[in-house]
Amino acid sequence: MDYSLRGTGTEMSMQFVIEGAVRDFTPIKQFRQTYELPETFGVNQFEPKDFTGLGSIENAGAELNILRAALLEAIRAPRPLSAWMTEVTDLATLFRSKLLQINPVVHLKEIEIDFATAGMHDMLQALIYDLIRARASRQTPQPFEAIYANWLHSSIKLSQTVHLYPYAEREVWEINLLTHVYGRFGLQVRLRDGVVYAYDPALACPAMGFMATLLSDIAAAIYQAG
């Protein structure tokens, strides 16, 4: 069965579900301009990240393309929808294997590889569950973007650490960091007259864009082969 896929899944929405409600986020550059804040204002000011020993995909373009090609090649053969639950586990295992092969270039820690593998498995499992649900109820499956957003939003956590930030005269903001599966991505800022949100992925995983695109490509291949 051929399911169409709308969009690429790589554009990051400026809305996130925080504590059960959809919140609008302002990009950090615009947020700074609005409140006349210094360029240093952002997630790194409140909870700096230690980059010592961290991996990088900056020089791994060729290796990542090989990884992507191997995963898509494994999906090309048509198969019954009922077989996909096992196939998802196999795909995640293949992803881990290929990631280990290119690790001399990207230098990830084993726990980071395991975390990325588990994330891919959970996301693709959600995709297959939705396809099974749609088939059983004779409905149209959700677009990839909706499933990806639900998966991403389900991982969001609000830090319990409150950072106090003096602003203007006689006002002190209360700031909490927000994280999701890719790391720190924004700020919850409690002003004197309300709460606002800033989107700042400066310290998020550098592979966030690659993983979103890869998962979108895998989803498209599954829709085609399923």
Side-chain angles (χ1 to χ4, degrees):
M1 183 175 295
D2 181 16
Y3 296 107
S4 62
L5 182 66
R6 298 197 296 271
T8 63
T10 60
E11 295 181 1
M12 179 59 68
S13 169
M14 285 297 104
Q15 289 186 324
F16 293 89
V17 177
I18 309 298
E19 298 181 326
V22 177
R23 312 291 186 181
D24 292 318
F25 278 66
T26 302
I28 190 63
K29 184 176 180 180
Q30 181 182 336
F31 190 88
R32 293 181 189 127
Q33 292 173 348
T34 299
Y35 294 97
E36 299 181 345
L37 299 165
E39 288 297 313
T40 54
F41 183 90
V43 295
N44 193 51
Q45 176 177 349
F46 301 103
E47 294 184 17
K49 185 174 184 178
D50 183 4
F51 288 90
T52 304
L54 292 181
S56 172
I57 65 170
E58 186 174 343
N59 299 314
E63 288 79 8
L64 292 174
N65 284 335
I66 292 173
L67 181 152
R68 174 184 176 277
L71 288 169
L72 295 180
E73 184 64 33
I75 304 172
R76 295 193 185 282
R79 67 210 70 188
L81 186 56
S82 59
W84 275 112
M85 294 309 297
T86 300
E87 294 290 343
V88 162
T89 300
D90 292 343
L91 280 174
T93 301
L94 178 62
F95 172 73
R96 187 179 190 280
S97 173
K98 293 299 179 181
L99 203 51
L100 285 170
Q101 287 181 18
I102 69 171
N103 205 38
V105 178
V106 295
H107 306 294
L108 294 173
K109 298 176 182 177
E110 186 170 358
I111 190 172
E112 292 174 320
I113 293 176
D114 290 341
F115 191 70
T117 302
M120 168 171 280
H121 181 273
D122 290 347
M123 170 57 211
L124 294 180
Q125 190 174 61
L127 181 84
I128 300 304
Y129 279 146
D130 184 71
L131 287 176
I132 293 173
R133 174 203 58 79
R135 176 77 64 82
S137 59
R138 297 183 180 180
Q139 296 178 345
T140 302
Q142 296 183 74
F144 167 80
E145 291 82 359
I147 298 171
Y148 183 83
N150 287 338
W151 169 73
L152 187 65
H153 291 167
S154 69
S155 73
I156 290 177
K157 292 181 174 59
L158 179 67
S159 172
Q160 298 305 301
T161 301
V162 179
H163 301 273
L164 301 180
Y165 184 80
Y167 176 76
E169 295 182 4
R170 301 180 183 178
E171 182 173 0
V172 177
W173 290 352
E174 295 181 358
I175 297 176
N176 298 76
L177 267 68
L178 290 155
T179 64
H180 55 35
V181 68
Y182 295 113
R184 285 161 274 191
F185 75 94
L187 302 169
Q188 176 183 272
V189 183
R190 188 173 299 278
L191 312 178
R192 182 164 51 196
D193 56 354
V195 178
V196 293
Y197 296 86
Y199 178 64
D200 181 10
L203 299 184
C205 174
M208 179 168 60
F210 170 76
M211 287 302 299
T213 301
L214 176 62
L215 287 166
S216 176
D217 291 343
I218 291 174
I222 289 175
Y223 289 156
Q224 183 67 34

